[in-house]
Amino acid sequence: AAAAAGARVGGLVAPEARDEIQRIMTSHAGVLRGAEGLDTAARELAALPHGGAEPGVEAWEATNLHTVASAIVAAARLRQETRGSHWRQDFPERSDAGWRGHLVTRLAGNVLTTAYEPLEGDDQ
């Protein structure tokens, strides 16, 4: 149903970015989602500066928040259906034929990848 999506992450995010990450997610990746808003969220998250932040609890929290937000946006962009609490305005129906599986996100080095994996035994 979908190909893999990747986002580059790495380096500590400045603690000051926390409010901007929350704003991006609230504005573009809230309960009701659509392709345009998710694309904007991905672009804005990718544009936030990485690296150079002084190591500390606040920087690690902001970095972790950025990583999780990036993973949520990547998975939401790939899943072109509405399922459970994931509501796509542009894909209002559930689609078992194309989406009976899981979106799996992995962090390898500085690359966060999200890919669709069908359920075992499905003939997709």
Side-chain angles (χ1 to χ4, degrees):
R8 193 162 256 318
V9 295
L12 290 176
V13 174
E16 297 78 36
R18 183 182 189 119
D19 289 341
E20 183 64 6
I21 295 166
Q22 290 173 327
R23 183 203 61 77
I24 291 167
M25 294 302 287
T26 299
S27 297
H28 305 295
V31 174
L32 296 176
R33 304 165 177 175
E36 186 177 331
L38 293 168
D39 290 347
T40 299
R43 233 180 1 264
E44 290 182 3
L45 287 168
L48 291 175
H50 288 77
E54 191 67 32
V57 172
E58 291 84 10
W60 280 109
E61 286 178 350
T63 301
N64 290 340
L65 183 64
H66 182 272
T67 301
V68 170
S70 298
I72 289 169
V73 168
R77 289 174 78 195
L78 282 178
R79 188 173 286 277
Q80 296 179 338
E81 68 157 356
T82 289
R83 181 173 299 265
S85 62
H86 170 69
W87 287 36
R88 285 285 302 257
Q89 292 173 305
D90 45 351
F91 297 95
E93 301 299 321
R94 179 174 154 160
S95 173
D96 285 343
W99 290 101
R100 196 164 182 273
H102 302 283
L103 289 166
V104 178
T105 301
R106 292 180 176 89
L107 180 61
N110 288 339
V111 178
L112 188 68
T113 60
T114 301
Y116 174 78
E117 296 181 4
L119 291 179
E120 299 243 349
D122 274 5
D123 296 352
Q124 295 186 28

PDB file of all heavy atoms in Angstrom, residues 35-62:
ATOM      1  N   ALA A  35      -3.426  15.485   4.012  1.00  0.00           N
ATOM      2  CA  ALA A  35      -2.124  15.460   3.352  1.00  0.00           C
ATOM      3  C   ALA A  35      -1.412  16.812   3.420  1.00  0.00           C
ATOM      4  O   ALA A  35      -0.220  16.872   3.720  1.00  0.00           O
ATOM      5  CB  ALA A  35      -2.277  15.010   1.904  1.00  0.00           C
ATOM      6  N   GLU A  36      -2.132  17.889   3.133  1.00  0.00           N
ATOM      7  CA  GLU A  36      -1.500  19.208   3.106  1.00  0.00           C
ATOM      8  C   GLU A  36      -0.913  19.580   4.464  1.00  0.00           C
ATOM      9  O   GLU A  36       0.234  20.015   4.570  1.00  0.00           O
ATOM     10  CB  GLU A  36      -2.518  20.255   2.657  1.00  0.00           C
ATOM     11  CG  GLU A  36      -1.910  21.635   2.461  1.00  0.00           C
ATOM     12  CD  GLU A  36      -2.924  22.644   1.945  1.00  0.00           C
ATOM     13  OE1 GLU A  36      -3.882  22.254   1.250  1.00  0.00           O
ATOM     14  OE2 GLU A  36      -2.731  23.836   2.253  1.00  0.00           O
ATOM     15  N   GLY A  37      -1.691  19.395   5.528  1.00  0.00           N
ATOM     16  CA  GLY A  37      -1.212  19.724   6.869  1.00  0.00           C
ATOM     17  C   GLY A  37      -0.066  18.828   7.299  1.00  0.00           C
ATOM     18  O   GLY A  37       0.903  19.288   7.915  1.00  0.00           O
ATOM     19  N   LEU A  38      -0.146  17.539   6.978  1.00  0.00           N
ATOM     20  CA  LEU A  38       0.933  16.617   7.336  1.00  0.00           C
ATOM     21  C   LEU A  38       2.215  16.935   6.572  1.00  0.00           C
ATOM     22  O   LEU A  38       3.312  16.851   7.131  1.00  0.00           O
ATOM     23  CB  LEU A  38       0.487  15.174   7.100  1.00  0.00           C
ATOM     24  CG  LEU A  38      -0.623  14.682   8.032  1.00  0.00           C
ATOM     25  CD1 LEU A  38      -1.196  13.365   7.541  1.00  0.00           C
ATOM     26  CD2 LEU A  38      -0.108  14.560   9.464  1.00  0.00           C
ATOM     27  N   ASP A  39       2.082  17.323   5.306  1.00  0.00           N
ATOM     28  CA  ASP A  39       3.264  17.733   4.539  1.00  0.00           C
ATOM     29  C   ASP A  39       3.892  18.974   5.161  1.00  0.00           C
ATOM     30  O   ASP A  39       5.121  19.075   5.270  1.00  0.00           O
ATOM     31  CB  ASP A  39       2.892  18.009   3.076  1.00  0.00           C
ATOM     32  CG  ASP A  39       2.529  16.751   2.313  1.00  0.00           C
ATOM     33  OD1 ASP A  39       2.793  15.629   2.812  1.00  0.00           O
ATOM     34  OD2 ASP A  39       1.970  16.887   1.202  1.00  0.00           O
ATOM     35  N   THR A  40       3.059  19.916   5.573  1.00  0.00           N
ATOM     36  CA  THR A  40       3.555  21.132   6.228  1.00  0.00           C
ATOM     37  C   THR A  40       4.258  20.776   7.535  1.00  0.00           C
ATOM     38  O   THR A  40       5.337  21.294   7.829  1.00  0.00           O
ATOM     39  CB  THR A  40       2.402  22.120   6.489  1.00  0.00           C
ATOM     40  OG1 THR A  40       1.819  22.483   5.233  1.00  0.00           O
ATOM     41  CG2 THR A  40       2.880  23.371   7.204  1.00  0.00           C
ATOM     42  N   ALA A  41       3.648  19.891   8.320  1.00  0.00           N
ATOM     43  CA  ALA A  41       4.259  19.481   9.592  1.00  0.00           C
ATOM     44  C   ALA A  41       5.621  18.848   9.345  1.00  0.00           C
ATOM     45  O   ALA A  41       6.593  19.163  10.043  1.00  0.00           O
ATOM     46  CB  ALA A  41       3.343  18.504  10.333  1.00  0.00           C
ATOM     47  N   ALA A  42       5.721  17.958   8.358  1.00  0.00           N
ATOM     48  CA  ALA A  42       6.996  17.305   8.059  1.00  0.00           C
ATOM     49  C   ALA A  42       8.054  18.339   7.662  1.00  0.00           C
ATOM     50  O   ALA A  42       9.198  18.284   8.126  1.00  0.00           O
ATOM     51  CB  ALA A  42       6.819  16.273   6.947  1.00  0.00           C
ATOM     52  N   ARG A  43       7.666  19.272   6.815  1.00  0.00           N
ATOM     53  CA  ARG A  43       8.600  20.324   6.374  1.00  0.00           C
ATOM     54  C   ARG A  43       9.063  21.184   7.549  1.00  0.00           C
ATOM     55  O   ARG A  43      10.254  21.476   7.692  1.00  0.00           O
ATOM     56  CB  ARG A  43       7.889  21.200   5.336  1.00  0.00           C
ATOM     57  CG  ARG A  43       8.592  21.376   4.052  1.00  0.00           C
ATOM     58  CD  ARG A  43       7.897  22.249   3.016  1.00  0.00           C
ATOM     59  NE  ARG A  43       6.626  22.858   3.356  1.00  0.00           N
ATOM     60  CZ  ARG A  43       5.428  22.356   3.053  1.00  0.00           C
ATOM     61  NH1 ARG A  43       5.318  21.216   2.428  1.00  0.00           N
ATOM     62  NH2 ARG A  43       4.336  22.997   3.389  1.00  0.00           N
ATOM     63  N   GLU A  44       8.120  21.601   8.387  1.00  0.00           N
ATOM     64  CA  GLU A  44       8.458  22.475   9.511  1.00  0.00           C
ATOM     65  C   GLU A  44       9.298  21.753  10.562  1.00  0.00           C
ATOM     66  O   GLU A  44      10.224  22.339  11.131  1.00  0.00           O
ATOM     67  CB  GLU A  44       7.188  23.069  10.122  1.00  0.00           C
ATOM     68  CG  GLU A  44       6.524  24.092   9.211  1.00  0.00           C
ATOM     69  CD  GLU A  44       5.279  24.727   9.810  1.00  0.00           C
ATOM     70  OE1 GLU A  44       4.923  24.436  10.989  1.00  0.00           O
ATOM     71  OE2 GLU A  44       4.642  25.520   9.093  1.00  0.00           O
ATOM     72  N   LEU A  45       8.995  20.490  10.818  1.00  0.00           N
ATOM     73  CA  LEU A  45       9.813  19.724  11.769  1.00  0.00           C
ATOM     74  C   LEU A  45      11.232  19.545  11.233  1.00  0.00           C
ATOM     75  O   LEU A  45      12.208  19.689  11.969  1.00  0.00           O
ATOM     76  CB  LEU A  45       9.173  18.358  12.050  1.00  0.00           C
ATOM     77  CG  LEU A  45       7.925  18.367  12.929  1.00  0.00           C
ATOM     78  CD1 LEU A  45       7.229  17.014  12.894  1.00  0.00           C
ATOM     79  CD2 LEU A  45       8.268  18.763  14.364  1.00  0.00           C
ATOM     80  N   ALA A  46      11.350  19.246   9.938  1.00  0.00           N
ATOM     81  CA  ALA A  46      12.672  19.058   9.334  1.00  0.00           C
ATOM     82  C   ALA A  46      13.486  20.345   9.337  1.00  0.00           C
ATOM     83  O   ALA A  46      14.721  20.311   9.377  1.00  0.00           O
ATOM     84  CB  ALA A  46      12.522  18.531   7.904  1.00  0.00           C
ATOM     85  N   ALA A  47      12.799  21.493   9.298  1.00  0.00           N
ATOM     86  CA  ALA A  47      13.494  22.777   9.249  1.00  0.00           C
ATOM     87  C   ALA A  47      14.026  23.232  10.606  1.00  0.00           C
ATOM     88  O   ALA A  47      14.858  24.141  10.672  1.00  0.00           O
ATOM     89  CB  ALA A  47      12.557  23.847   8.677  1.00  0.00           C
ATOM     90  N   LEU A  48      13.565  22.620  11.677  1.00  0.00           N
ATOM     91  CA  LEU A  48      14.055  23.020  13.004  1.00  0.00           C
ATOM     92  C   LEU A  48      15.531  22.654  13.124  1.00  0.00           C
ATOM     93  O   LEU A  48      15.932  21.559  12.733  1.00  0.00           O
ATOM     94  CB  LEU A  48      13.244  22.345  14.111  1.00  0.00           C
ATOM     95  CG  LEU A  48      11.804  22.821  14.257  1.00  0.00           C
ATOM     96  CD1 LEU A  48      11.071  21.979  15.300  1.00  0.00           C
ATOM     97  CD2 LEU A  48      11.767  24.288  14.650  1.00  0.00           C
ATOM     98  N   PRO A  49      16.334  23.561  13.669  1.00  0.00           N
ATOM     99  CA  PRO A  49      17.771  23.277  13.766  1.00  0.00           C
ATOM    100  C   PRO A  49      18.096  22.156  14.747  1.00  0.00           C
ATOM    101  O   PRO A  49      17.485  22.041  15.804  1.00  0.00           O
ATOM    102  CB  PRO A  49      18.373  24.612  14.238  1.00  0.00           C
ATOM    103  CG  PRO A  49      17.242  25.422  14.736  1.00  0.00           C
ATOM    104  CD  PRO A  49      15.974  24.867  14.174  1.00  0.00           C
ATOM    105  N   HIS A  50      19.029  21.300  14.317  1.00  0.00           N
ATOM    106  CA  HIS A  50      19.534  20.201  15.146  1.00  0.00           C
ATOM    107  C   HIS A  50      21.011  20.453  15.400  1.00  0.00           C
ATOM    108  O   HIS A  50      21.704  20.970  14.549  1.00  0.00           O
ATOM    109  CB  HIS A  50      19.417  18.866  14.418  1.00  0.00           C
ATOM    110  CG  HIS A  50      18.032  18.362  14.299  1.00  0.00           C
ATOM    111  ND1 HIS A  50      17.127  18.849  13.396  1.00  0.00           N
ATOM    112  CD2 HIS A  50      17.389  17.410  14.990  1.00  0.00           C
ATOM    113  CE1 HIS A  50      15.993  18.213  13.525  1.00  0.00           C
ATOM    114  NE2 HIS A  50      16.124  17.332  14.485  1.00  0.00           N
ATOM    115  N   GLY A  51      21.465  20.001  16.538  1.00  0.00           N
ATOM    116  CA  GLY A  51      22.883  20.113  16.853  1.00  0.00           C
ATOM    117  C   GLY A  51      23.186  21.460  17.490  1.00  0.00           C
ATOM    118  O   GLY A  51      22.469  22.426  17.327  1.00  0.00           O
ATOM    119  N   GLY A  52      24.239  21.486  18.242  1.00  0.00           N
ATOM    120  CA  GLY A  52      24.684  22.725  18.856  1.00  0.00           C
ATOM    121  C   GLY A  52      24.031  23.039  20.185  1.00  0.00           C
ATOM    122  O   GLY A  52      24.479  23.930  20.882  1.00  0.00           O
ATOM    123  N   ALA A  53      22.968  22.335  20.546  1.00  0.00           N
ATOM    124  CA  ALA A  53      22.321  22.589  21.831  1.00  0.00           C
ATOM    125  C   ALA A  53      23.202  22.036  22.945  1.00  0.00           C
ATOM    126  O   ALA A  53      23.855  21.009  22.793  1.00  0.00           O
ATOM    127  CB  ALA A  53      20.942  21.950  21.883  1.00  0.00           C
ATOM    128  N   GLU A  54      23.221  22.744  24.042  1.00  0.00           N
ATOM    129  CA  GLU A  54      23.976  22.318  25.215  1.00  0.00           C
ATOM    130  C   GLU A  54      23.331  21.061  25.792  1.00  0.00           C
ATOM    131  O   GLU A  54      22.130  21.045  26.055  1.00  0.00           O
ATOM    132  CB  GLU A  54      23.975  23.445  26.246  1.00  0.00           C
ATOM    133  CG  GLU A  54      24.926  23.264  27.389  1.00  0.00           C
ATOM    134  CD  GLU A  54      26.385  23.331  26.970  1.00  0.00           C
ATOM    135  OE1 GLU A  54      26.718  24.060  26.024  1.00  0.00           O
ATOM    136  OE2 GLU A  54      27.191  22.627  27.613  1.00  0.00           O
ATOM    137  N   PRO A  55      24.083  19.970  25.989  1.00  0.00           N
ATOM    138  CA  PRO A  55      23.492  18.756  26.560  1.00  0.00           C
ATOM    139  C   PRO A  55      22.875  19.020  27.927  1.00  0.00           C
ATOM    140  O   PRO A  55      23.417  19.766  28.735  1.00  0.00           O
ATOM    141  CB  PRO A  55      24.681  17.798  26.684  1.00  0.00           C
ATOM    142  CG  PRO A  55      25.678  18.296  25.695  1.00  0.00           C
ATOM    143  CD  PRO A  55      25.492  19.800  25.663  1.00  0.00           C
ATOM    144  N   GLY A  56      21.730  18.437  28.157  1.00  0.00           N
ATOM    145  CA  GLY A  56      21.027  18.578  29.425  1.00  0.00           C
ATOM    146  C   GLY A  56      19.640  17.983  29.289  1.00  0.00           C
ATOM    147  O   GLY A  56      19.200  17.625  28.192  1.00  0.00           O
ATOM    148  N   VAL A  57      18.943  17.891  30.397  1.00  0.00           N
ATOM    149  CA  VAL A  57      17.624  17.267  30.420  1.00  0.00           C
ATOM    150  C   VAL A  57      16.674  17.949  29.440  1.00  0.00           C
ATOM    151  O   VAL A  57      15.973  17.291  28.665  1.00  0.00           O
ATOM    152  CB  VAL A  57      17.031  17.289  31.854  1.00  0.00           C
ATOM    153  CG1 VAL A  57      15.579  16.829  31.863  1.00  0.00           C
ATOM    154  CG2 VAL A  57      17.859  16.426  32.771  1.00  0.00           C
ATOM    155  N   GLU A  58      16.646  19.283  29.421  1.00  0.00           N
ATOM    156  CA  GLU A  58      15.712  20.004  28.555  1.00  0.00           C
ATOM    157  C   GLU A  58      16.009  19.757  27.085  1.00  0.00           C
ATOM    158  O   GLU A  58      15.096  19.595  26.269  1.00  0.00           O
ATOM    159  CB  GLU A  58      15.734  21.505  28.857  1.00  0.00           C
ATOM    160  CG  GLU A  58      15.153  21.877  30.207  1.00  0.00           C
ATOM    161  CD  GLU A  58      16.169  21.734  31.347  1.00  0.00           C
ATOM    162  OE1 GLU A  58      17.375  21.529  31.070  1.00  0.00           O
ATOM    163  OE2 GLU A  58      15.751  21.806  32.507  1.00  0.00           O
ATOM    164  N   ALA A  59      17.280  19.717  26.707  1.00  0.00           N
ATOM    165  CA  ALA A  59      17.653  19.462  25.312  1.00  0.00           C
ATOM    166  C   ALA A  59      17.279  18.039  24.909  1.00  0.00           C
ATOM    167  O   ALA A  59      16.785  17.808  23.804  1.00  0.00           O
ATOM    168  CB  ALA A  59      19.137  19.711  25.087  1.00  0.00           C
ATOM    169  N   TRP A  60      17.497  17.068  25.797  1.00  0.00           N
ATOM    170  CA  TRP A  60      17.124  15.690  25.487  1.00  0.00           C
ATOM    171  C   TRP A  60      15.615  15.548  25.373  1.00  0.00           C
ATOM    172  O   TRP A  60      15.107  14.836  24.504  1.00  0.00           O
ATOM    173  CB  TRP A  60      17.684  14.723  26.536  1.00  0.00           C
ATOM    174  CG  TRP A  60      19.124  14.424  26.287  1.00  0.00           C
ATOM    175  CD1 TRP A  60      20.191  14.840  27.027  1.00  0.00           C
ATOM    176  CD2 TRP A  60      19.665  13.662  25.203  1.00  0.00           C
ATOM    177  NE1 TRP A  60      21.357  14.390  26.461  1.00  0.00           N
ATOM    178  CE2 TRP A  60      21.065  13.662  25.343  1.00  0.00           C
ATOM    179  CE3 TRP A  60      19.100  12.992  24.123  1.00  0.00           C
ATOM    180  CZ2 TRP A  60      21.899  13.004  24.444  1.00  0.00           C
ATOM    181  CZ3 TRP A  60      19.936  12.343  23.225  1.00  0.00           C
ATOM    182  CH2 TRP A  60      21.327  12.353  23.396  1.00  0.00           C
ATOM    183  N   GLU A  61      14.866  16.222  26.244  1.00  0.00           N
ATOM    184  CA  GLU A  61      13.406  16.173  26.157  1.00  0.00           C
ATOM    185  C   GLU A  61      12.914  16.769  24.840  1.00  0.00           C
ATOM    186  O   GLU A  61      12.043  16.191  24.177  1.00  0.00           O
ATOM    187  CB  GLU A  61      12.764  16.898  27.343  1.00  0.00           C
ATOM    188  CG  GLU A  61      12.870  16.123  28.641  1.00  0.00           C
ATOM    189  CD  GLU A  61      12.276  16.862  29.827  1.00  0.00           C
ATOM    190  OE1 GLU A  61      11.940  18.070  29.698  1.00  0.00           O
ATOM    191  OE2 GLU A  61      12.157  16.238  30.895  1.00  0.00           O
ATOM    192  N   ALA A  62      13.468  17.907  24.443  1.00  0.00           N
ATOM    193  CA  ALA A  62      13.071  18.537  23.176  1.00  0.00           C
ATOM    194  C   ALA A  62      13.450  17.644  21.995  1.00  0.00           C
ATOM    195  O   ALA A  62      12.684  17.506  21.034  1.00  0.00           O
ATOM    196  CB  ALA A  62      13.710  19.911  23.044  1.00  0.00           C
TER     197      ALA A  62
END
